Amino acid sequence: MRIPEEEAAAATQMTSELAFLLAVVTSLQLHLAVDALGSASTVAMAYGTATVCGITAGNQNQRIQCYKGNEVISILPHVSFEAISGGKSFFCGLRTGGHSLHCWETNAGFSNHSFRPKRIYYSTRFPLTDLAVGDAQVCAREVGSGRGRCWRGLDKGGSLFPSPDAALEFQTITSGSGFSCGILKNNRSVWCWGSNGIGSKIQSQFRNLSMVSLVAGKSHVCGLTASGGALVCKGNNGAGQLEVPPNSAHEYSALALGASFTCGLRQKNGVVSCWGGGAEELNIQNTSNGSVSFELITAGSSMLCGLKTSNLTIMCWFKANKYSPAVLPLGMIIPGPCVQDPCSLCGVYPNSAFLCDGSGNICKSCQEELPFAVLLPKNPKSSPKKARNGLTVAFLIVGAIGGLAGACTILFCISNCLAASDHQELNINPSSGRSFSLTELAAATSNFSSENKIGAGSFGVVYKGELSDGTEVAIKRGETKSNEKQNAFSSELAALLRLNHKHLVGMVGYCPENDERLLVYEYMPNGSLHDHLHNKDYEVTVLNTWKMRIKIALDAARGIEYLHNYAVPPIIHRDIKSSNILLDRNFTAKVSDFGFSMMRHPEASTESAVGGTIGYIDPEYYVSKISTAKSDVYGLGIVLLEILTGKKAVFRDGGGEGVVTVAEFAVARIGGGEVWNVVDKRVRAAEMKEVEAVEMVACTAVQCVNLEGEERPSITDIVGNLEKALALCNSGELCDRL
Ligand SMILES: *[C@@H]1O[C@H](CO)[C@@H](O)[C@H](O)[C@H]1NC(C)=O
Ligand SMILES: *[C@@H]1O[C@H](CO)[C@@H](O)[C@H](O)[C@H]1NC(C)=O
Ligand SMILES: *[C@@H]1O[C@H](CO)[C@@H](O)[C@H](O)[C@H]1NC(C)=O
Ligand SMILES: *[C@@H]1O[C@H](CO)[C@@H](O)[C@H](O)[C@H]1NC(C)=O
Ligand SMILES: *[C@@H]1O[C@H](CO)[C@@H](O)[C@H](O)[C@H]1NC(C)=O
Ligand SMILES: *[C@@H]1O[C@H](CO)[C@@H](O)[C@H](O)[C@H]1NC(C)=O
Ligand SMILES: *[C@@H]1O[C@H](CO)[C@@H](O)[C@H](O)[C@H]1NC(C)=O
Ligand SMILES: *[C@@H]1O[C@H](CO)[C@@H](O)[C@H](O)[C@H]1NC(C)=O
Ligand SMILES: *[C@@H]1O[C@H](CO)[C@@H](O)[C@H](O)[C@H]1NC(C)=O
């Protein structure tokens, strides 16, 4: 179940974009709560003594009650707990806030009609989460550091249980019989430890998989993969417990693993289905008529309990009861912890104020996971055939970014859905641009005086002008090329004039007279990204936060996405660079200068000189002389590296020897996990929530500048990544969850 650490992350102020993202998340309801042997929940069992416990609803104190041998046992102390988890003969509870951890032996008989509590952890400085009790060990994760901590359980003769290396940071952990496993934050791979060999075996079986959730049983572990959300199980398959039914991706919202079976809660209807040995004995499908819906499930060696959706009571199947389902007399149990912070991620559970009796809310459990797509090379098979010339070595370096693989995943659906929302803002410009006379434009620019010159684009000189109605414009004046036909120019122009997007510099009109090629654009008062990053006359005050930089990157990516995917015909920009990314009054970034190279080289003619700007040119272009959409992606990758490092696309090395490209400077270091050694020091130190965002941008940039065009992400993938990065900046610890 969701733990308060994540609830605390609930950002109080959301951008509308994030709100939309969350709405998407909620509607998908793709989640995998970790409710099983060895994972924190609000229902737990000590299977060895057939004791089942739950955190009670309807009290200001979310205290624990247990059921054992036909008796209801009230657990002391009567204080609030956020999570409980059970082992073989004992169970443990994490107090609300995570500052202390208590365990109770269920085998020792009662003392004053209660199990005797034993506090095994207390710290005000290092609160815990992810309580994961195994057969005879207790593990939990430090909220801040992600470090895993383990203790020996209460079982008599239980051996000391090792903690994982303190340097490892976990995203989640789970405990089985004699082993525990977690997902590492840095690369989402599975790491296991313990007192028997099972953990290392399971770890090696998961070796190449990037996971987002994990649940342990006695000797097997299941979870969802980061790429595709498929359910995979590893470990002992003695009874077929690893044999996941086909088409499992996104099918289950929770898992419970026993000694030889695996059960999943179908996310669409909350119905349990199980496979593996003893699944028939459990006889779940038949005894529940396949129609009882559960909020969560948890398993012991050969028993299974679930919290019924209808009235939040616990229903169990266990041997002592011949596996016919029994509703335990424990009353209503909360389906998740009661938290004080507002729930932003997936909303508030119905009636949760009542369930918590005023002491907070229960946040709806939602996605541990969403369909992720990994941007790493998709079809490596196809690349070796291609001529690579001298690019192989660098390609290998680019490929070796496993250390950041976790940050390289993207939320596919989210990106698509958000992109869709963004595209609703765009529309086809109904007026096909205005036609200006040469006289009008001359008047607007004091006869194209040099004082009005504000720059030079690929198309020619750019002047600032003021039309007779006071509108400020930028006017581009191109050289005349007699061998290019005026009508070709005009038809291309018509296409450009129809483009109208928030992140493209708008074209106001053109001048069709004579051989003049004059194009009139909206004026962008705050200059170019290049100016702000590299021009000493500009202060970096505006671009001094990661959030602002990532927003500008996202704006630019959205402009390019429009050109590639929504313009008719599609347009390849061919000259993406930071000086073509302009900033309006509000620092919304817009892509400028699009379409000119298209006009210059219709049909991507082959004989033309190399187009583009040194430092930004797609290395494949040198070989093929053909620009593709992936050439723009390369250019954008260089822009992302500029944004990250503050270095120009090509710069003089500190030593004064020769010049270095920003890709040479940054790619291998980012790949080697040294993102924080290359970032622009002028930016305010990243807040905790921004760290993952910046790493994600770095990782995306590295993928964009892959020497192999095919292996670069599409612009849609990039937009998705940058949206996610920006959402992370806006949203506190959402990072941990998504
Ligand atoms: C049990 O109850 C007795 C009297 O009711 C009390 O003296 C004793 O301290 C209690 N023991 C525990 C462990 O709470
Ligand atoms: C993940 O990171 C850990 C620790 O940094 C490392 O030992 C392991 O090899 C990495 N796994 C993969 C698949 O990159
Ligand atoms: C892991 O990946 C490597 C190379 O990608 C491959 O050689 C190896 O067989 C894979 N291992 C497993 C267990 O799939
Ligand atoms: C459960 O029901 C199915 C038919 O719906 C039947 O084939 C199967 O034998 C039943 N299993 C048990 C254990 O009763
Ligand atoms: C299953 O259905 C039968 C008949 O429809 C009913 O008698 C029985 O109580 C149901 N069992 C459960 C567990 O809902
Ligand atoms: C919950 O529903 C079960 C039947 O499905 C019933 O036996 C039990 O009494 C109900 N519990 C509460 C607290 O209403
Ligand atoms: C521009 O040139 C025309 C003649 O070429 C002249 O009449 C006019 O005054 C000039 N305007 C400005 C603002 O210099
Ligand atoms: C951005 O443009 C606005 C409008 O021209 C101007 O007031 C503001 O000073 C500019 N900001 C910077 C940092 O240049
Ligand atoms: C800048 O933001 C203000 C307020 O949000 C808005 O009214 C204005 O239209 C924006 N200007 C531009 C050029 O987008």
Side-chain angles (χ1 to χ4, degrees):
M1 290 305 302
R2 298 168 54 67
I3 312 294
E5 177 193 354
E6 282 80 18
E7 308 305 344
T12 42
Q13 88 284 28
M14 281 189 289
T15 64
S16 61
E17 208 162 72
L18 184 60
F20 180 80
L21 180 153
L22 298 176
V24 171
V25 168
T26 315
S27 70
L28 291 173
Q29 279 292 319
L30 296 171
H31 62 294
L32 183 73
V34 277
D35 308 315
L37 174 82
S39 294
S41 180
T42 54
V43 175
M45 62 182 74
Y47 67 85
T49 61
T51 305
V52 179
C53 305
I55 303 179
T56 59
N59 300 303
Q60 272 196 349
N61 278 339
Q62 286 81 47
R63 57 199 170 81
I64 303 170
Q65 287 205 122
C66 295
Y67 178 80
K68 181 191 175 193
N70 287 327
E71 282 205 64
V72 174
I73 300 151
S74 170
I75 301 301
L76 295 172
H78 276 179
V79 295
S80 294
F81 288 86
E82 63 180 44
I84 55 179
S85 178
K88 186 172 179 187
S89 72
F90 69 102
F91 71 97
C92 302
L94 191 59
R95 289 223 12 212
T96 300
H99 297 290
S100 72
L101 182 54
H102 299 254
C103 295
W104 297 265
E105 174 59 55
T106 63
N107 214 6
F110 306 157
S111 147
N112 291 358
H113 208 70
S114 184
F115 300 130
R116 195 192 333 227
K118 182 171 177 195
R119 190 171 78 185
I120 65 169
Y121 180 84
Y122 175 79
S123 163
T124 51
R125 284 182 60 209
F126 301 108
L128 301 177
T129 184
D130 261 3
L131 171 63
V133 176
D135 260 10
Q137 83 267 26
V138 183
C139 296
R141 190 168 65 90
E142 281 183 14
V143 172
S145 66
R147 186 183 160 195
R149 310 263 320 244
C150 296
W151 299 266
R152 175 185 12 202
L154 302 183
D155 281 330
K156 295 242 162 50
S159 55
L160 281 177
F161 196 84
S163 288
D165 187 329
L168 295 172
E169 295 184 7
F170 292 93
Q171 192 173 297
T172 183
I173 58 176
T174 183
S175 292
S177 183
F179 70 95
S180 293
C181 297
I183 299 173
L184 291 174
K185 273 187 180 172
N186 66 337
N187 57 17
R188 292 206 163 103
S189 64
V190 173
W191 188 275
C192 300
W193 65 98
S195 55
N196 55 21
I198 300 175
S200 57
K201 192 173 143 207
I202 290 176
Q203 177 175 327
S204 71
Q205 290 172 347
F206 270 108
R207 179 173 52 188
N208 284 1
L209 288 170
S210 184
M211 305 297 293
V212 290
S213 58
L214 215 57
V215 182
K218 198 175 175 78
S219 56
H220 71 299
V221 172
C222 300
L224 296 189
T225 61
S227 53
L231 174 58
V232 294
C233 295
K234 302 288 181 189
N236 178 3
N237 195 28
Q241 59 267 50
L242 305 188
E243 281 151 24
V244 174
N247 304 323
S248 67
H250 315 308
E251 185 67 27
Y252 300 101
S253 60
L255 296 173
L257 279 62
S260 58
F261 64 86
T262 305
C263 295
L265 203 54
R266 290 188 186 276
Q267 64 162 11
K268 66 170 185 286
N269 55 13
V271 167
V272 178
S273 61
C274 302
W275 56 93
E280 310 81 47
E281 252 186 340
L282 282 171
N283 197 11
I284 309 279
Q285 281 88 341
N286 292 18
T287 57
S288 69
N289 290 350
S291 64
V292 179
S293 170
F294 294 92
E295 291 298 289
L296 58 88
I297 50 177
T298 184
S301 175
S302 62
M303 60 193 283
L304 180 82
C305 296
L307 194 59
K308 284 175 36 170
T309 303
S310 59
N311 62 9
L312 298 180
T313 52
I314 300 177
M315 187 186 242
C316 295
W317 287 258
F318 49 94
K319 201 169 177 182
N321 212 25
K322 298 199 172 61
Y323 296 111
S324 65
V327 173
L328 304 188
L330 288 176
M332 260 195 259
I333 301 298
I334 51 175
C338 294
V339 300
Q340 302 295 331
D341 305 281
C343 301
S344 71
L345 205 55
C346 288
V348 177
Y349 191 86
N351 300 321
S352 80
F354 163 74
L355 295 172
C356 297
D357 195 23
S359 63
N361 278 313
I362 298 167
C363 298
K364 264 196 203 151
S365 165
C366 61
Q367 82 320 302
E368 277 285 334
E369 193 279 329
L370 278 161
F372 284 86
V374 177
L375 290 183
L376 293 169
K378 277 173 194 139
N379 44 355
K381 304 171 264 20
S382 63
S383 42
K385 282 182 233 107
K386 292 186 56 195
R388 256 197 223 137
N389 302 344
L391 309 178
T392 315
V393 171
F395 167 67
L396 291 177
I397 292 169
V398 173
I401 54 167
L404 272 173
C408 296
T409 55
I410 63 161
L411 292 164
F412 221 47
C413 172
I414 285 187
S415 70
N416 290 345
C417 302
L418 280 180
S421 81
D422 195 48
H423 293 305
Q424 281 156 16
E425 291 165 30
L426 57 90
N427 45 59
I428 298 299
N429 194 345
S431 68
S432 283
R434 213 179 122 194
S435 174
F436 292 93
S437 71
L438 187 55
T439 325
E440 254 177 303
L441 297 184
T445 56
S446 313
N447 288 344
F448 300 103
S449 72
S450 54
E451 289 104 77
N452 283 26
K453 193 173 149 182
I454 52 175
S458 63
F459 182 64
V461 182
V462 186
Y463 299 87
K464 182 181 174 185
E466 193 178 319
L467 300 179
S468 52
D469 66 358
T471 312
E472 288 182 324
V473 291
I475 299 172
K476 300 195 177 183
R477 186 179 208 187
E479 321 91 68
T480 313
K481 291 246 178 71
S482 54
N483 60 345
E484 281 176 76
K485 295 213 173 70
Q486 184 67 32
N487 56 2
F489 173 74
S490 301
S491 75
E492 301 290 2
L493 252 191
L496 295 183
L497 280 163
R498 280 199 303 271
L499 294 178
N500 181 16
H501 186 262
K502 198 171 149 193
H503 299 299
L504 295 178
V505 174
M507 190 185 276
V508 180
Y510 61 100
C511 170
E513 281 175 46
N514 305 328
D515 278 347
E516 287 286 350
R517 292 188 158 192
L518 287 159
L519 300 175
V520 184
Y521 286 89
E522 67 176 300
Y523 178 63
M524 300 288 282
N526 278 316
S528 72
L529 175 61
H530 184 274
D531 293 334
H532 285 274
L533 288 175
H534 309 307
N535 188 333
K536 300 268 182 298
D537 298 342
Y538 283 75
E539 306 258 338
V540 282
T541 49
V542 179
L543 271 70
N544 70 350
T545 65
W546 287 115
K547 185 176 158 180
M548 189 66 193
R549 289 193 181 204
I550 292 170
K551 189 198 160 279
I552 286 172
L554 174 58
D555 288 352
R558 282 180 169 157
I560 298 168
E561 186 193 28
Y562 180 71
L563 293 175
H564 287 186
N565 296 349
Y566 298 93
V568 182
I571 292 174
I572 295 169
H573 187 294
R574 290 189 168 85
D575 197 13
I576 296 292
K577 55 183 174 181
S578 57
S579 54
N580 273 340
I581 294 168
L582 306 184
L583 301 167
D584 79 1
R585 195 172 302 282
N586 298 342
F587 284 91
T588 297
K590 303 187 181 207
V591 175
S592 78
D593 236 13
F594 44 88
F596 300 111
S597 45
M598 176 181 75
M599 288 188 285
R600 238 189 273 140
H601 318 303
E603 266 61 273
S605 66
T606 50
E607 83 287 359
S608 60
V610 168
T613 303
I614 299 299
Y616 296 90
I617 301 169
D618 175 0
E620 280 193 336
Y621 181 85
Y622 289 112
V623 182
S624 66
K625 295 285 182 288
I626 296 173
S627 298
T628 65
K630 293 296 178 73
S631 309
D632 285 355
V633 165
Y634 185 91
L636 180 61
I638 299 294
V639 171
L640 294 178
L641 291 175
E642 285 178 76
I643 288 175
L644 284 165
T645 62
K647 304 257 187 232
K648 290 185 186 172
V650 178
F651 61 97
R652 207 162 281 285
D653 202 4
E657 311 288 322
V659 290
V660 177
T661 68
V662 72
E664 286 165 338
F665 168 73
V667 168
R669 290 183 209 196
I670 291 172
E674 291 181 55
V675 177
W676 300 100
N677 292 343
V678 300
V679 297
D680 189 347
K681 298 288 184 288
R682 295 172 300 175
V683 183
R684 254 189 353 231
E687 290 172 35
M688 185 121 93
K689 61 192 181 178
E690 291 172 338
V691 167
E692 195 184 345
V694 171
E695 290 176 354
M696 182 174 292
V697 174
C699 172
T700 305
V702 165
Q703 292 169 344
C704 291
V705 298
N706 194 313
L707 297 173
E708 298 278 330
E710 242 176 59
E711 274 148 23
R712 292 172 207 150
S714 74
I715 190 66
T716 306
D717 293 340
I718 297 165
V719 168
N721 269 13
L722 295 173
E723 274 167 349
K724 192 181 167 207
L726 189 62
L728 288 170
C729 293
N730 284 330
S731 70
E733 297 181 17
L734 226 154
C735 344
D736 261 5
R737 186 116 300 258
L738 293 182

